[in-house]
Amino acid sequence: MRPPSPGKPPGIQPGDELRIEANTKTVSGTKGALVEVDEGNVDARIGTYRLQADKITVYEATNKVVAEGNVVFDQGDQQRITGSRAEWNYRTKTGFFINSTGYTNQTQDGTRMYFIADRIEKVSLDTIVVINGEITACDEEVPKWSFSRQTSQDQNR
C-alpha cells in the first residue's frame, strides 16, 4: 500500500480566469456569449489546470472548451490525460477525452492509476466512466495486472 498523497493542489479558485496563448485567435459573439477559437500551439490555463492542443474553442456562455489535435491535459503532477479530442467544463471540472491515455493519483488512498481508453468521461466530481479501456496501478510498460472492458457499438446505443 502506498502512502497517502502529500496533498492535492487547489483546483480552480474563485476569481481564477482562463488564460490562453496561441499563434492565432479569433473571437465572435457578444459579451457573455463570446466564442473564441485559438489555433497553433495553444496553451490554456486556469488554476492548477493546463490544457494544450492544436486548436481550442472556448464557449464563454457555458464555460466549455473543446480541444482538438494532440490534446494534453495536466493538473500539476496529480494527473495527465492525452487524446485526440476533448470537451471540458472548467467550472464544473467535468468533460470527456477521446482516444485517451493517462494517469491520476486522485484516488482515495493516493494510488496512481494508469489508463488507456477509447473514451474517458468525468460525469461528476467522483464518477468517471471508461469506455473500451484498460486500467492498472502497475508502473511497468507491460502491467502485471489490469482491468479491461470492451463493448461493441450495439451496446453503446
Side-chain angles (χ1 to χ4, degrees):
M1 181 168 218
R2 296 179 187 180
S5 174
K8 297 177 182 172
I12 299 168
Q13 302 297 309
D16 281 349
E17 291 185 30
L18 181 64
R19 298 179 327 273
I20 300 176
E21 294 180 15
N23 292 347
T24 62
K25 181 180 303 231
T26 307
V27 180
S28 62
T30 59
K31 186 166 176 69
L34 294 175
V35 175
E36 179 179 318
V37 178
D38 298 284
E39 295 183 88
N41 298 315
V42 186
D43 188 352
R45 297 172 187 243
I46 185 168
T48 61
Y49 298 95
R50 181 179 187 190
L51 180 63
Q52 299 169 291
D54 296 332
K55 177 181 178 183
I56 292 179
T57 305
V58 180
Y59 298 91
E60 181 183 42
T62 59
N63 301 312
K64 182 173 83 171
V65 295
V66 175
E68 300 170 275
N70 300 304
V71 178
V72 179
F73 175 83
D74 290 303
Q75 183 184 11
D77 63 356
Q78 303 287 310
Q79 62 183 343
R80 169 173 273 197
I81 305 170
T82 65
S84 60
R85 186 173 193 284
E87 290 188 18
W88 184 59
N89 182 305
Y90 57 89
R91 294 291 174 208
T92 64
K93 302 175 191 168
T94 58
F96 67 86
F97 291 79
I98 302 295
N99 302 321
S100 61
T101 61
Y103 66 84
T104 184
N105 68 351
Q106 295 185 359
T107 58
Q108 288 182 345
D109 66 357
T111 299
R112 182 165 283 189
M113 302 298 290
Y114 301 90
F115 62 85
I116 183 168
D118 288 349
R119 179 181 171 109
I120 189 156
E121 183 170 355
K122 187 170 187 180
V123 296
S124 69
L125 290 179
D126 62 357
T127 304
I128 295 175
V129 176
V130 177
I131 298 172
N132 292 335
E134 183 174 348
I135 300 171
T136 185
C138 297
D139 293 316
E140 299 86 5
E141 189 168 321
V142 177
K144 293 176 184 165
W145 66 268
S146 65
F147 295 103
S148 65
R149 175 73 172 134
Q150 302 296 315
T151 57
S152 71
Q153 291 296 340
D154 293 336
Q155 289 176 319
N156 289 333
R157 294 177 196 199

